[in-house]
Amino acid sequence: QTTSGPIEDQLTALIRKTMSPPSLILKGTAEELASPHAKKVLAAAAYANVPLPCETVTADDCASISPLAKSLVLCFGDVPVTTSHAMMRTIASVAPASGLLGKSAADDAIIDGWLSFIWNSIDLPLQVAAGSSTEAVETDVSKALETVEKYLASSKRTYMVGD
């Protein structure tokens, strides 16, 4: 029987510390924590079974965490992550078994393509239209959603990447 001493205990503690991912906390203004951006991040965390506590802070607090953060930031240990897509990818990387990153480099590239498509074709136009109802934006977003629906229907898929 082997007994562990202080050095072995310290080594074991160090290994556990380096092997476990840093804690995640989603910080933002009350308004931003209720926004579609935060909801996407929270949905990814729920799907990946990753605990993600939220903390209400001021916009100035977010800016002090990262100059890139306006009103929402994911704190990944000491690392600030500032866009919802980067936040979702961070969560997916913490839980690789969730399948959110796909199963191959090709899946990963396709996921990035879809995230860019969603940002450019849906998120950005909706942000531009916030507070006003413009027909052109509604038409563009409808076309983008039709593109997604056609892709899913043509390939008889449930998911955009993988099975």
Side-chain angles (χ1 to χ4, degrees):
Q1 180 177 358
T2 306
T3 59
S4 66
I7 294 175
E8 290 84 0
D9 291 343
Q10 289 176 355
L11 183 57
T12 301
L14 179 62
I15 290 170
R16 283 189 183 138
K17 182 179 178 181
T18 58
M19 291 180 68
S20 62
S23 62
L24 297 169
I25 302 172
L26 186 61
K27 296 182 180 186
T29 62
E31 181 180 345
E32 194 62 32
L33 287 172
S35 74
H37 302 292
K39 288 179 182 178
K40 288 190 299 187
V41 174
L42 292 167
Y47 183 87
N49 200 27
V50 172
L52 185 57
C54 296
E55 183 180 322
T56 303
V57 297
T58 67
D60 289 340
D61 292 334
C62 284
S64 71
I65 295 168
S66 170
L68 301 176
K70 294 180 181 173
S71 55
L72 187 68
V73 62
L74 176 69
C75 295
F76 182 51
D78 294 338
V79 178
V81 182
T82 58
T83 68
S84 58
H85 292 153
M87 292 175 194
M88 290 186 297
R89 290 190 65 76
T90 300
I91 289 165
S93 70
V94 169
S98 70
L100 287 175
L101 289 177
K103 296 177 183 168
S104 67
D107 285 353
D108 193 40
I110 294 168
I111 290 166
D112 279 342
W114 279 112
L115 286 173
S116 293
F117 173 82
I118 296 298
W119 168 250
N120 290 316
S121 303
I122 298 173
D123 287 350
L124 188 58
L126 289 176
Q127 284 182 18
V128 169
S132 65
S133 178
T134 61
E135 241 179 81
V137 170
E138 289 174 7
T139 300
D140 288 346
V141 170
S142 291
K143 286 180 183 177
L145 293 173
E146 286 174 19
T147 299
V148 172
E149 287 177 12
K150 285 179 186 175
Y151 172 78
L152 291 171
S154 70
S155 58
K156 297 183 180 173
R157 293 176 174 256
T158 304
Y159 305 104
M160 296 169 87
V161 180
D163 293 326

